[in-house]
Amino acid sequence: MDLKQKLIDLSREATGDDTITVAGDFQPKGMTWKIAVGAAAGSVLGEAVGGDVGQSIGAMGGYTTGKYAATSGELPPVIIVAASPTRLYLMTSNNAKGIIFARHLLLIDTLDRDNLSVEMHQRVTARTAVITDSSTGHEYKIEGKRILFHHMNDMLDALAA
């Protein structure tokens, strides 16, 4: 199955909204660099302590620490954003491992698109977005990876429109 269509189908199932036309997978803003810095720092420290084996263990420990630091806020490590003509939905996968293994999505929030403003930026390995709900003042800060199979460009284009 096409992953783009899987995102839309799972989003429709989770929300009950058959008018969803686009969906994308994201992560909390800043997660990419926090993981990279954590893995690099852990690798350097591990090498100093125990050579190649220590470097590998340190890199994994740093990666895990970076991932925890990035997801210690209000958003889970896997965020699915889906849009219908009038609503924006934020969801997460049922297993927190990503969209490939997801069988269901869990709804986090439903936002009225008329009340949203979106600020987007291009980064080297990610595109970032800050979605602000003007009715509540609440902000959701997300990023989409530019590498591998992540399907976020259509969703970000819809938000920018």
Side-chain angles (χ1 to χ4, degrees):
M1 173 186 271
D2 177 11
L3 285 177
K4 284 184 181 184
Q5 189 60 50
K6 180 180 181 179
L7 285 169
I8 292 170
D9 292 344
L10 289 175
S11 297
R12 288 175 177 169
E13 176 191 318
T15 63
D17 186 344
D18 289 333
T19 65
I20 290 174
T21 57
V22 64
D25 62 320
F26 299 86
Q27 61 191 18
K29 186 176 178 223
M31 189 167 179
T32 299
W33 75 265
K34 288 176 183 175
I35 287 173
V37 168
S43 176
V44 170
L45 290 173
E47 182 179 28
V49 172
D52 290 343
V53 172
Q55 183 179 19
S56 297
I57 293 169
M60 190 50 142
Y63 170 89
T64 302
T65 303
K67 190 169 186 173
Y68 176 75
T71 59
S72 61
E74 63 188 43
L75 292 174
V78 176
I79 305 159
I80 309 303
V81 179
S84 73
T86 59
R87 301 219 183 275
L88 188 73
Y89 301 97
L90 281 79
M91 295 162 280
T92 191
S93 66
N94 63 315
N95 59 13
K97 293 183 181 175
I99 192 60
I100 291 177
F101 300 112
R103 294 202 173 134
H104 303 286
L105 298 179
L106 307 171
L107 187 62
I108 297 170
D109 203 354
T110 302
L111 307 169
D112 185 351
R113 289 185 71 178
D114 288 339
N115 296 331
L116 299 182
S117 65
V118 180
E119 180 184 329
M120 290 192 282
H121 297 281
Q122 306 272 351
R123 303 288 185 239
V124 176
T125 61
R127 288 179 69 186
T128 66
V130 177
I131 302 166
T132 304
D133 183 347
S134 61
S135 67
T136 63
H138 194 83
E139 289 185 339
Y140 292 100
K141 299 176 182 181
I142 59 174
E143 70 182 22
K145 293 181 184 178
R146 291 177 167 224
I147 55 174
L148 297 175
F149 56 84
H150 298 280
H151 299 288
M152 51 83 184
N153 287 321
D154 291 345
M155 185 66 241
L156 289 177
D157 291 344
L159 287 174

